[in-house]
Structure formats: C-alpha cells, structure tokens
Amino acid sequence: MTLPQLNREEETTPPPERPGVFVRLAGFAHRRRRLALVLWVAVLAGVWAIASMAGDDYRNDVSMPGTESQAAADLLAEHGAARAGDTLQIVLHAESGLRTPGVEERVAALLDEVAGLPRVDGVVSPYDDAAAVAADGTIGYATVMLDTASDDMPVADTERILETVQAAEGDGLQAELGGDAARLLAEAETGVGEMAGLVAALVILVLMFGTFIAAGLPIMIALFAVGSTVGIIVLASHVFTIASWTPPIMFLVGLGVGIDYALLIFARFRAELVRGVAPERATVTAMDAAGRSVFFAGCTVILALLGLTALGLGSIQGMALSVALTVLMTMLASLTLLPALLGIFGNRFARQFTARAEKRKARGKAEDGEGWRRLAAAVQKRPLAALVGAAVLLGALAFPALSIRLGFNDAGNDPSDSTARQAYDLLSDGFGPGFNGPLLIVTDGGDGSAEEAAAAAARTLGETEGVAAAADPIPTPDGEAATVLVYPASSPQDEETTELVATLRDDVLPGLTAENGAEYLVGGATAASEDYAGKLGDRMPLFMIIVVGLAIVLLMAVFRSVLIPLKAAFLNLLSIGAALGAMKLVFQDGALGFEGGPIEAYVPVMIFAIVFGLSMDYEIFLISRMHEEWVRAGEKDPSRAVREGLAHTGGVITAAASIMIVIFAAFVLSPQRLLQQTGFAFAVAIFVDAVIIRCMIVPAAMQLLGRRAWWLPSPLARLLPKVQLERG
C-alpha cells in the first residue's frame, strides 16, 4: 500500500464514536473505585452526623383551602378559639362503678399524678363533669390537656403518661390512654416489616447469584441511597413541610427501587462475564445498556412523583418531593457506586459466574432464557386469546376499585391490644359509636347572638335522624361565634356518618340559615376527613393527565413509537386498577382478616404515581431489549425480537419483581395502616405487572402489532428528541 492510498483510506474511514456519558461514567467509577466508595461513605456519614445533631421537624400539613372544615377552623382562630395543644383521654372502666369509694380515691390519685407530668397543662376529672361518665356509671374519661399538638408530642412524654395510667390498673379497675398522641405509640413500633423484607430479598438474591457477596451488592446500593436521602430529608424538614409518615414511604420505595435498579445492571454484567468478557469491559457494557434503561426508568418515576405536586396539598407535596429525591439518589448510586463495587469484586465474580456456567453446561442444562423463549412462542401462537384472557382477569380484579371509599383511619383500626384501641372501644361501649368522632358545628353572626343561633342549631340537630346527641353551645372567647358538638349515631368511618355530614351541610343547616341569617359550618376531624377525600377526588383527573401525558411523551422519544407508549400507559392503568381493587377487598371490605374501613385518602394517589413509574421500569427494560434485537436483526423479524427480548429479560424482571414484592408485602406487618395498605397495593401491582402484563400481555400485544409497533409519524419524529437506549 502506498502512502497516498493510506491517506485516502484514513480520510474515508469514519472516526471512532465518542464514548457516551454512561460509558465515561462507568469507566471513571471503575478505575477510581476506591475514591467513589469513599465519597459515598463520606456522604452517608456526613449527612447523618449533621442530621443527628439537628434532629427532625416533621409537620403534618392538613390544611385544605377552599373546604368547609378549613373555613370552620379559620373562623375559630379568627375569634380566638384556636387550640394551642391537643388532648388525651384517660378512659376508665370499673364493673363496680366509678363512684365506688375505693375506685374514686384511686382515680383521684392517678389524675393528680398525671397533672404533674411534663407536657400536661391540666386534667379535667370525670367527677367534675357529669357528661364524662356513662349512664351505667361503669365507664368514664378524664381529659388531659397538653401544651402541644399531638404530632409534636415527644413519644417519651406520652409513654410516661401511659406508664402512670397503667400503674393504677388492677383490683377491678381498667385504665387506658386514648387520643392521637397515644396512637403514635403503636405507630412508633416499626422495623419488623423492613427487616423481614430485607431478609427475604437477600434469600432471593443468593438463590439467583449463588454467592452472598453478589447478593449483597444490590442491597448495599439501596441502603446507601435510602440512608443518605433520609438524612437529607431530616434536615429538609426544618425548612419544608414534610409529614411524619414520609420516611417509612421513602424506605419502602427506596429499598424496592434501589435493589431493582442495581439488579438490572448487575444481571447484564453477569451475562457479559459468562460470555467471557473482561470485568472492566463487562461493567462498561452493562452500564451502557442496562444503565441507560435504569436512567430513563428512574426519570419516569420521578416525573410521575412530581405530578403529585399538582394536587396542591402540603403533606402530599412534601412526600412526593422526598420520594422523588430517593429515586434520584438510587439512580446515582446505581450509576456510580455500583460500577465501583464491580471494580472491587469483578475478578472474583468472573471466576464464580464462569465456573457456574461451565458446570451448568456440563450437566446439559438448557440455555438461560430458554423457558422464557418457549413461553413467548406459546403466547405468539394465540396472541389474541392470551391478550383477551389476561385483560378480562385484570378487569375483574380492578372492578371493586370503582367503589373505593376514601377517608382516614382512627383508633378503631389500631391493633386490638393497643391502649388507644381499647380506649376507643370503651368509649364506644359507654357513650355510643359516634362519640369517638363528633362533628363540630361553628356558628357565626345571625339576627341575634351567635350563642342563641348555636342553641337553635343544637335543638334542631338533636332531633335530626342519624344524630345521637347534640351538646350545649360553647361561645368563643370574644363571644362573636359559638360551637356545638354533635355526636353521630354511627362510628366515624361508617358510610352513615358521611351521609350525615352531607345532610347537615345540604339540608338541615341551610334551613336554619334561612330562618335566622346565621352562618353554620361543619368542621371537626370527621368532617375534615370527608373534605380531604373529596379534594383529592376532584384533583385526581388533572394529576392523571399530567402523569400519563409526560410518560407517553418520554416513551415516544425513547422508543420512536406511538403505539408502544399508548399500550404501556393503558396497561399501567390496568395494573394500578387491579392493585386498588385488591386493596379495596382486603382493607375496606375486611377480607383476609383485616379491619374493614375506608382506604387512606393519601394511598390511591401515591399508588398511582409510584406504581405508574415503577411499571415503566419493566416496560423500558423489556421493550428496549426487544428493540435492541429488532435493530440487530436488521428490522426484519418482529416476532423473533419479541421472543429474544423476553428470553433475555424475563428471568431478571421476575427476580427483580420478586424482590420488590417481598419487600412491599413485608410492610403489611407494620402497625401503621397507611403502610399496610401501601405495601399491599404495591406488592399486588408489581406482581400483576411482572407476571401477567410483561410475560403475557406485552408479548401478545407486540405480536399483534408486528412492524406497526415501531411506527412513528414523520412530523413527530422530527419534533421529538432522539434518545438511544442501546448502542452499537
């Protein structure tokens, strides 16, 4: 070859493609693995050192601008009746009667001791208030006035009150502690579900990889990411409104997502090692393929969570931002810490995985993925039957979701052995089921005084169907407004109570307003629960449009297709519906032995945002591999692309889903009903998504779509940015 010929060849040869950001990031983390590990340890330790010194300042923002219960609360505050602190109830039960001399002396001594405890402003004895003792004289309650709100009450101070109360029990006297602060004692007993989920996840990973070190890497990634984020949120709680129930939700989602993302990358890394690729190259390849899928899947989850901010509700917004930050940190850990750990243990993994593959081959076992390949082929033979059968099954499971009733749990849903639940039951037995959830009627103005208008309301309400009793009116400190406590004949969570609130607002109180010109507002915790659920229901359509729309646009850019994003959105909605339907049967209807009651108002929107995003993880991972096979075959055989895509990802998706399912399901062991419902719904949704949708419906739908699956109109193709999930 002459020199001029060489120059001409160099001019016509395209320059080598510049490594992408994922390749460069993986290469850097692999080479500087000890530095990457030290930086993550420093971040985790530093954040928690500062957080431990600062402490948390969680606040539950339950304000609902534009609702009647919020207007009632604002009116009371305007007239000087805003409550500085909450109350606890010491509920007493004596078969011989509370006025028995020996019992009365013991109760008086107990109340004197409680009055001297920290955070207690005073105690109202049942012997000073005739209404505080039931008609038969065996059940009564003392009111403990606190100097702080229940959410801000230190657990240690509440425990001190409870210990004092329980010390007075015996010799025929039962004493229990009721109220929101008492309920927090049971909710503080967390950790069982988290540990059970971690142990189950470790077992699955060991069975999958055959080594504890390999199994521990995904869990380590999750713990680093979640631990760092929770520390950040502890600090952020001093600046932003973050509810006290946010950290458990972060832990729930962060564990599942962190292990999920790390596992998807690690599985691709193992596949490259088995092919004989060197550890460093296997790391780069895994990050350049699976790492891209993880990045865009994480972006989808974050977008779905940020859509919750459209609801405009403080506690929901704080939770959404906190969980979105958790997902972001798990992505960063998967893309930076995991390559570093693969660099540290890569040579050991290469020997172990190669040896296992050779043993498997020597025993004549089928190639990895062969079972999934056969499953895909079976579905492709009768795609319409598989599609219709699976859709009917999911539709039947989702149908109960149409009758979900939203609300908030109360002590009646607590474990039967908790002191708050026993206090609740005693009060229901002694004073009626509506005693635990009275309605607060706030009266303002009118032709006469506010107190006179409130007295008229008390007389009318006392004769209203569904009302057990109406108390005497109590004027506000300035005398310009007054309140009336109304006790429903039904418990706070009964549908009859919901109907009563509507009746009072729509029929009874407007009639009184027409007579005397006074303004009547229905407030209180029970009415606020109804208002909150209604507010969420009204804003759900906008939220769903935002989340689904953003996800469709992102998937259009990723897969250069119109039909695949539309299919993904519809199937995700189907899996969410199935999860909500199952949750309704278990927690609202009381199946499987759970206490029946309304679904926590927060839960459906959280499930929608988080499950919609998590479902996209598997969609992106599966479809991107199908697209990779489609491109590799020269875009000639869509059926083969579907089979090979499922063959290469089915096992990983199932393993990842199994881990997420056991982690989520373990939270059913939590004493908090919010976590029970959330964990159960997540577990059902992931099972449906990974087993029924990804392994049956998606192959069937892709088979029926054929080449049309990858169709994108030219105008859209020019408008959308081009995103590559696979290279080469």
Side-chain angles (χ1 to χ4, degrees), residues 454-510:
R459 289 192 296 272
T460 301
L461 293 172
E463 300 171 356
T464 301
E465 184 179 357
V467 174
D472 294 333
I474 301 175
T476 56
D478 63 1
E480 297 297 322
T483 62
V484 176
L485 279 177
V486 175
Y487 298 97
S490 51
S491 70
Q493 295 185 0
D494 282 350
E495 291 188 54
E496 290 83 356
T497 304
T498 301
E499 295 169 358
L500 176 62
V501 171
T503 299
L504 297 184
R505 286 174 170 174
D506 299 338
D507 301 325
V508 178
L509 295 178

Side-chain angles (χ1 to χ4, degrees), residues 263-349:
L263 178 59
L264 296 180
I265 296 173
F266 191 76
R268 185 63 181 258
F269 169 76
R270 182 184 67 167
E272 296 297 321
L273 289 181
V274 171
R275 289 175 50 204
V277 178
E280 182 173 0
R281 184 61 195 169
T283 301
V284 171
T285 301
M287 293 296 299
D288 199 32
R292 289 168 180 267
S293 299
V294 164
F295 175 77
F296 288 105
C299 289
T300 307
V301 179
I302 291 172
L303 286 176
L305 286 164
L306 294 181
L308 284 171
T309 59
L311 295 172
L313 300 173
S315 294
I316 291 287
Q317 290 177 327
M319 181 279 299
L321 294 173
S322 300
V323 178
L325 180 61
T326 304
V327 176
L328 177 62
M329 290 294 285
T330 60
M331 277 196 335
L332 292 176
S334 298
L335 299 176
T336 58
L337 179 58
L338 182 57
L341 294 174
L342 294 180
I344 294 174
F345 298 106
N347 291 327
R348 174 182 294 185
F349 291 153

Side-chain angles (χ1 to χ4, degrees), residues 89 92 98-99 104 111 123-135 137 139-144 431 435 471-472 474 485 487:
Q89 294 84 40
L92 305 159
L98 292 177
R99 294 195 178 276
E104 189 169 347
L111 300 185
V123 178
V124 179
S125 170
Y127 305 113
D128 298 333
D129 182 3
V133 179
I139 296 176
Y141 65 92
T143 301
V144 180
F431 300 93
F435 187 84
D472 294 333
I474 301 175
L485 279 177
Y487 298 97

Side-chain angles (χ1 to χ4, degrees), residues 4 23 30 79 102 111 121 159 271 305 368 372 419 438 481 543 567 589 629 654 680 685 708 712:
V23 171
H30 192 278
H79 292 292
L111 300 185
D121 263 353
E159 287 177 340
L305 286 164
D368 284 346
W372 296 103
T419 186
F543 161 66
K567 167 193 66 66
D589 297 341
E629 298 295 333
T654 303
F680 177 82
R708 293 184 296 274
L712 183 69

Side-chain angles (χ1 to χ4, degrees), residues 221-573:
I221 296 298
L223 292 178
F224 263 93
V226 176
S228 301
T229 312
V230 171
I232 294 172
I233 294 304
V234 168
L235 297 175
S237 67
H238 292 272
V239 181
F240 304 103
T241 300
I242 298 175
S244 58
W245 47 266
T246 298
I249 297 294
M250 293 170 58
F251 198 84
L252 173 72
V253 176
L255 270 184
V257 172
I259 294 175
D260 198 40
Y261 290 171
L263 178 59
L264 296 180
I265 296 173
F266 191 76
R268 185 63 181 258
F269 169 76
R270 182 184 67 167
E272 296 297 321
L273 289 181
V274 171
R275 289 175 50 204
V277 178
E280 182 173 0
R281 184 61 195 169
T283 301
V284 171
T285 301
M287 293 296 299
D288 199 32
R292 289 168 180 267
S293 299
V294 164
F295 175 77
F296 288 105
C299 289
T300 307
V301 179
I302 291 172
L303 286 176
L305 286 164
L306 294 181
L308 284 171
T309 59
L311 295 172
L313 300 173
S315 294
I316 291 287
Q317 290 177 327
M319 181 279 299
L321 294 173
S322 300
V323 178
L325 180 61
T326 304
V327 176
L328 177 62
M329 290 294 285
T330 60
M331 277 196 335
L332 292 176
S334 298
L335 299 176
T336 58
L337 179 58
L338 182 57
L341 294 174
L342 294 180
I344 294 174
F345 298 106
N347 291 327
R348 174 182 294 185
F349 291 153
R351 293 192 300 270
Q352 291 174 339
F353 294 149
T354 302
R356 289 188 67 192
E358 291 175 352
K359 290 180 180 178
R360 182 183 180 88
K361 187 176 180 180
R363 290 196 297 266
K365 289 194 174 181
E367 179 186 353
D368 284 346
E370 187 59 35
W372 296 103
R373 195 174 284 109
R374 289 196 298 268
L375 174 62
V379 171
Q380 287 175 318
K381 287 182 181 179
R382 294 180 178 81
L384 190 59
L387 188 64
V388 172
V392 169
L393 175 63
L394 295 185
L397 189 57
F399 182 75
L402 297 176
S403 56
I404 275 184
R405 186 164 59 89
L406 301 180
F408 289 98
N409 71 83
D410 58 23
N413 303 114
D414 288 354
S416 59
D417 59 348
S418 68
T419 186
R421 171 63 181 274
Q422 294 185 37
Y424 181 99
D425 291 340
L426 285 174
L427 291 174
S428 295
D429 293 341
F431 300 93
F435 187 84
N436 286 292
L439 304 176
L440 182 67
I441 310 301
V442 182
T443 307
D444 185 29
D447 298 334
S449 69
E451 189 171 357
E452 290 175 353
R459 289 192 296 272
T460 301
L461 293 172
E463 300 171 356
T464 301
E465 184 179 357
V467 174
D472 294 333
I474 301 175
T476 56
D478 63 1
E480 297 297 322
T483 62
V484 176
L485 279 177
V486 175
Y487 298 97
S490 51
S491 70
Q493 295 185 0
D494 282 350
E495 291 188 54
E496 290 83 356
T497 304
T498 301
E499 295 169 358
L500 176 62
V501 171
T503 299
L504 297 184
R505 286 174 170 174
D506 299 338
D507 301 325
V508 178
L509 295 178
L512 286 172
T513 300
E515 292 178 7
N516 57 29
E519 179 185 9
Y520 296 98
L521 299 172
V522 181
T526 301
S529 173
E530 302 294 336
D531 288 342
Y532 203 102
K535 197 84 167 178
L536 283 174
D538 293 341
R539 298 186 182 184
M540 272 292 287
L542 173 63
F543 161 66
M544 292 174 64
I545 290 172
I546 291 173
V547 171
V548 175
L550 288 174
I552 288 176
V553 171
L554 179 62
L555 290 185
M556 280 185 180
V558 169
F559 292 122
R560 317 301 294 174
S561 166
V562 172
L563 297 179
I564 287 177
L566 292 176
K567 167 193 66 66
F570 174 74
L571 294 179
N572 286 357
L573 292 175

